[in-house]
Amino acid sequence: MPNYFPVENPTVPFWHSEEDDFRNFQSTPELPKETDVLIIGAGYAGASVGYWMYKQCQETKLAKPDILMVEARYVCSGATGRNGGHLKPDYYREYLKFEKLKLLKI
């Protein structure tokens, strides 16, 4: 069976049009052999799960679990990168409206 993931020539997500150090962040030189929680995908869903797990542990004073997040390419390169344009603030969608307000100095 052929390997389809990840594809060889992906499109570049909007927010990765410029290079940054966080894109390929790896907190340890080697992947751990064990973890309490494995999060597959470093997009909106994966990042939210990791963030809220840590936040919940801080608020309830529970021990923080060992969390491993893996991504096929780099942060926000999958579905979040392809569909993230839908999450842009209104000023992109309503540019002309805001431009008129600016001209009217409102």
Side-chain angles (χ1 to χ4, degrees):
M1 181 174 202
N3 182 4
Y4 295 107
F5 302 102
V7 297
E8 289 183 29
N9 242 350
T11 57
V12 178
F14 171 74
W15 36 75
H16 286 302
S17 55
E18 296 179 14
E19 288 286 328
D20 64 35
D21 293 335
F22 188 68
R23 173 176 150 152
N24 293 312
F25 177 76
Q26 185 173 337
S27 63
T28 60
E30 300 289 325
L31 290 176
K33 294 183 189 262
E34 294 183 7
T35 188
D36 297 326
V37 178
L38 173 62
I39 300 173
I40 301 173
Y44 280 122
S48 294
V49 167
Y51 172 82
W52 287 107
M53 286 184 75
Y54 271 110
K55 187 161 179 67
Q56 185 75 15
C57 288
Q58 283 179 330
E59 290 173 0
T60 59
K61 300 196 182 348
L62 294 173
K64 292 178 184 167
D66 287 326
I67 297 176
L68 174 61
M69 181 182 292
V70 294
E71 177 60 62
R73 279 206 169 76
Y74 47 85
V75 174
C76 294
S77 64
T80 296
R82 290 189 303 275
N83 301 320
H86 302 294
L87 303 171
K88 291 179 185 173
D90 276 342
Y91 57 83
Y92 284 109
R93 186 176 49 206
E94 302 289 336
Y95 173 79
L96 293 176
K97 176 181 160 185
F98 288 117
E99 187 63 22
K100 286 178 187 175
L101 291 173
K102 185 176 105 177
L103 290 173
L104 295 172
K105 300 195 189 283
I106 295 177

